[in-house]
Amino acid sequence: MTKFIYTILIFSLTVSNIYAQNLNKKEEKSKKRIQKHIEYLASDALEGRGTGSKGEKLSAAYIANEFKKLKLKPKGEDGDFIQKFSVVTLRMSKDSSSLSINGIHYRIFSDFYPLSYSTNSKKVNSTIVFVGYGISAPELNHDDYKNKNVSGKVVMIDIGSPDSQTAHSKFANYLSLKHRVEKAESNGAAGVVFINNGKEADDPSGELSKSIKPSSIPVFFVKEGKKTGCVEGLEFPVTMNSSILSIVSYGHNVIGYKNNKAKYTVIIGAHHDHLGYGEIKGSLEPNKTAIHNGADDNASGTSAVIELAKQLKKRKYKKYNYLFIAFSGEEMGLLGSKYFVENPSIDLKKVSYMINLDMVGMLKNTLIINGTGTSPFWNGAINVLREDSSDIKKIKTTESGIGASDHTSFYLAGIPSLHFFTGQHEFYHKPSDDISNINYNGEVKVINKIVQIIKLSQAKSKLEYSKTKDEETKTSFKVTLGIMPDYTYDSEGVRVDGVKDGKPAAIAGIQKGDIITMLGGDKIKNIEVYMKILSKYSKGDTAEVVYIRNDNTYTAIIKF
Ligand SMILES: [Zn+2]
């Protein structure tokens, strides 16, 4: 190779590298703005922005003020940017809950406990009848309420299944506690007492969920069901008193509107809440009472929404109106985005598509875009993005509209939705998710890609919606391996990005960096296939796992 060509080559490589790394003037300014937002939102002063906390309110106020400075139109309630919604932050049974059957008093917690579906406060004085599994499945020729008038009575229900199966039962659609409580209520029952005679199912958890909507009746579980003597055909006097402490506070969505007088609107959103001091479920260091700053999760996304609002104000992309939303309650179960979809401040039928940014602050080589199956438009547009890989080396996509972030709420409402994500990392859901880890240049590049998608979509009016395959499967998990998969990895198998202590994988000796290729004889192609295989297992099952470490293959026995 002549010296001259060699020099040209080196020169062009350096230039492209400098271009890839360095930001132009405009991008430098953008980076500074993003940095300012992230540093404030992820500062200790906001105490981890737990929904309903003072820190979350400060975060909402900051975002509203930024929207105001950008002269966005308030689209919350009462002409304000804020849309408030109630969240249950604590639910626990008081020991004044009581139960007596046939004159025998049962002790709270040791003999019985209220379940999440129980109303918070109600006394019942009636009789109790046994109704088998509490299932009416006409197509399966099974009706436990046949010829039984349970109106005003308490019903005792065995949580097992008529075919003594749980995982592969033909009654699968009827087995959930939710379904059985609703059935009892619709038959006019005054209360439900669950028991577990067969033991093929696990006893229900006594931990009261904050996100489950209570029913209108007391719902308890009795540990030793058989001892009650309640059997078919017998009716006993019963008293039930459901007494549950429920503390409600508020989450704050922040909503600003850029009206371009267009027919359709694009929604751009990110959640601004996080885990507080780790008291909110989901912390991976729950025993450490420390501020979970949530720099990447999701001060990065929230800052990008503010930055996009600024950029889209200036740019000539006037084919759409833009609605910018910072959701709260995401860590508690997508509560803010669900609330917005149920209480929209614009007509959702006039929404062309939604872009969600959750964890966009730690770009390595790969940008992940989830939800590409939600419109036929996406794959073509993303291929255009791929043409220029000088800034972001790789773009990995997944089809499903269902994922662990707010785009899911919009997809389920029939809106094409994408989720931008720079991948999992070891600081995820820990106090160590700090500003020092943030790749600001990377975030600027991610925002550029989003602007490019918005630019490409100007050629369309309203994007066509398509349902994604995965939705049908509805996989539910009874067990976990206790690993954190690497979402940026796209070769055969699942690459382990983190291992939780005391969980099956850790016990079997699996480590960060290992690639799991088989479980129980089933080949693992990717994360989706792994999830499906995992959903086959129940507690107590064992399976052989095959994994690769430093190019060597190992096997181990997993006990779930
Ligand atoms: Zn998040």
Side-chain angles (χ1 to χ4, degrees):
M1 190 190 286
T2 63
K3 199 154 177 297
F4 173 70
I5 297 170
Y6 186 68
T7 334
I8 295 290
L9 195 65
I10 295 293
F11 179 74
S12 60
L13 271 176
T14 332
V15 168
S16 69
N17 203 17
I18 289 166
Y19 175 74
Q21 295 301 330
N22 288 344
L23 306 178
N24 63 33
K25 274 217 167 42
K26 238 178 172 180
E27 289 172 330
E28 272 302 339
K29 283 195 185 136
S30 167
K31 175 183 167 180
K32 285 213 170 61
R33 289 189 294 263
I34 294 164
Q35 196 160 357
K36 194 197 96 201
H37 299 323
I38 293 181
E39 284 174 357
Y40 176 75
L41 293 167
S43 65
D44 284 355
L46 271 60
E47 300 178 288
R49 311 183 305 277
T51 302
S53 73
K54 195 171 91 283
E56 183 256 9
K57 279 198 201 94
L58 288 171
S59 164
Y62 178 85
I63 301 159
N65 190 40
E66 291 298 320
F67 282 179
K68 194 172 173 200
K69 282 196 279 180
L70 291 167
K71 298 197 173 38
L72 295 181
K73 192 164 175 277
K75 274 284 182 187
E77 288 145 359
D78 314 324
D80 193 294
F81 289 105
I82 304 288
Q83 180 188 47
K84 215 170 149 179
F85 58 94
S86 67
V87 285
V88 176
T89 47
L90 178 80
R91 231 178 141 229
M92 53 186 270
S93 179
K94 290 188 256 183
D95 47 23
S96 47
S97 289
S98 66
L99 172 68
S100 82
I101 299 175
N102 206 14
I104 298 167
H105 289 276
Y106 290 77
R107 291 161 303 163
I108 176 80
F109 305 128
S110 37
D111 300 333
F112 83 94
Y113 48 85
L115 298 178
S116 297
Y117 297 100
S118 191
T119 183
N120 287 333
S121 166
K122 198 170 197 175
K123 282 195 175 119
V124 171
N125 198 339
S126 175
T127 57
I128 185 166
V129 289
F130 182 67
V131 293
Y133 302 102
I135 290 172
S136 299
E139 80 285 4
L140 299 168
N141 251 336
H142 182 97
D143 188 356
D144 287 311
Y145 286 95
K146 199 171 176 203
N147 307 328
K148 287 196 187 105
N149 175 4
V150 301
S151 181
K153 296 179 184 171
V154 172
V155 292
M156 179 171 281
I157 297 175
D158 185 332
I159 63 166
S161 157
D163 57 5
S164 309
Q165 295 229 21
T166 48
H168 310 294
S169 167
K170 64 175 190 270
F171 291 89
N173 294 338
Y174 299 92
L175 294 181
S176 74
L177 297 182
K178 182 173 188 292
H179 185 90
R180 295 196 238 200
V181 170
E182 284 168 359
K183 187 73 203 166
E185 263 185 309
S186 69
N187 286 322
V192 175
V193 172
F194 282 109
I195 58 170
N196 188 7
N197 282 348
K199 296 292 178 199
E200 69 260 6
D202 296 332
D203 287 354
S205 159
E207 196 191 327
L208 297 180
S209 151
K210 295 170 211 152
S211 53
I212 286 177
K213 200 166 162 293
S215 72
S216 64
I217 56 177
V219 178
F220 294 170
F221 176 74
V222 170
K223 293 182 184 175
E224 310 272 348
K226 284 202 178 100
K227 283 195 183 148
T228 63
C230 261
V231 291
E232 199 77 42
L234 286 185
E235 197 158 330
F236 291 143
V238 66
T239 63
M240 295 177 85
N241 177 26
S242 181
S243 176
I244 293 171
L245 171 68
S246 177
I247 296 182
V248 173
S249 59
Y250 294 90
H252 303 83
N253 290 337
V254 190
I255 313 170
Y257 186 55
K258 172 76 184 123
N259 185 357
N260 289 323
K261 303 207 171 18
K263 190 169 176 199
Y264 295 110
T265 296
V266 170
I267 295 179
I268 298 170
H271 74 91
H272 70 99
D273 67 296
H274 195 47
L275 300 171
Y277 284 86
E279 77 279 5
I280 292 181
K281 208 169 175 209
S283 168
L284 293 178
E285 281 178 359
N287 311 322
K288 230 192 212 168
T289 307
I291 294 176
H292 289 55
N293 298 75
D296 186 33
D297 189 9
N298 189 29
S300 67
T302 306
S303 305
V305 166
I306 299 170
E307 178 59 18
L308 280 160
K310 180 157 181 90
Q311 291 194 18
L312 288 168
K313 239 189 96 182
K314 276 187 276 174
R315 291 186 189 243
K316 49 191 178 326
Y317 304 141
K318 307 257 185 260
K319 177 70 183 279
Y320 294 113
N321 310 314
Y322 299 97
L323 191 74
F324 302 95
I325 313 182
F327 307 106
S328 188
E330 190 271 355
E331 302 289 4
M332 298 174 85
L334 314 185
L335 301 183
S337 56
K338 277 183 191 155
Y339 184 83
F340 175 80
V341 164
E342 285 153 18
N343 307 276
S345 53
I346 62 166
D347 179 357
L348 292 185
K349 285 193 287 308
K350 291 279 169 57
V351 172
S352 177
Y353 59 93
M354 192 269 178
I355 290 197
N356 179 37
L357 301 100
D358 192 349
M359 298 174 64
V360 292
M362 293 186 60
L363 181 71
K364 295 180 201 108
N365 284 322
T366 307
L367 170 64
I368 301 159
I369 305 178
N370 298 316
T372 55
T374 65
S375 174
F377 172 78
W378 295 134
N379 284 325
I382 289 162
N383 283 337
V384 176
L385 264 58
R386 284 197 174 106
E387 280 162 18
D388 171 9
S389 65
S390 64
D391 47 2
I392 295 177
K393 296 265 166 312
K394 238 185 330 180
I395 295 178
K396 181 183 174 225
T397 60
T398 68
E399 295 233 328
S400 178
I402 307 252
S405 188
D406 295 302
H407 55 292
T408 307
S409 305
F410 292 85
Y411 165 70
L412 294 174
I415 294 169
S417 306
L418 288 181
H419 166 214
F420 282 73
F421 176 42
T422 51
Q424 284 281 8
H425 46 76
E426 64 208 278
F427 314 112
Y428 175 71
H429 278 201
K430 293 178 184 166
S432 53
D433 177 4
D434 285 321
I435 53 177
S436 52
N437 310 317
I438 298 294
N439 172 0
Y440 293 106
N441 287 20
E443 179 154 339
V444 169
K445 303 292 175 186
V446 173
I447 290 172
N448 288 350
K449 293 292 182 194
I450 294 168
V451 171
Q452 210 180 342
I453 282 252
I454 292 169
K455 184 178 170 192
L456 292 165
S457 73
Q458 303 292 304
K460 304 286 254 182
S461 75
K462 186 178 188 213
L463 291 196
E464 192 191 328
Y465 172 78
S466 46
K467 270 196 174 199
T468 56
K469 257 195 329 316
D470 295 349
E471 196 208 347
E472 270 72 56
T473 55
K474 284 239 176 359
T475 41
S476 58
F477 301 104
K478 295 170 294 299
V479 293
T480 169
L481 260 184
I483 65 158
M484 194 180 309
D486 174 357
Y487 289 86
T488 65
Y489 177 75
D490 56 5
S491 309
E492 289 276 310
V494 166
R495 185 178 170 283
V496 178
D497 219 11
V499 185
K500 287 177 207 154
D501 297 341
K503 296 285 182 184
I507 294 165
I510 288 177
Q511 295 171 4
K512 178 181 163 72
D514 290 348
I515 294 157
I516 299 175
T517 56
M518 285 186 100
L519 184 63
D522 290 316
K523 208 161 179 296
I524 295 176
K525 196 163 162 292
N526 54 35
I527 292 175
E528 287 75 30
V529 173
Y530 161 70
M531 300 283 195
K532 271 192 203 120
I533 293 170
L534 195 62
S535 71
K536 291 193 324 186
Y537 292 97
S538 306
K539 231 186 201 147
D541 289 354
T542 58
E544 185 190 62
V545 64
V546 180
Y547 60 97
I548 297 169
R549 182 183 300 163
N550 308 330
D551 300 328
N552 297 317
T553 303
Y554 300 89
T555 63
I557 297 299
I558 291 276
K559 185 162 181 350
F560 289 106

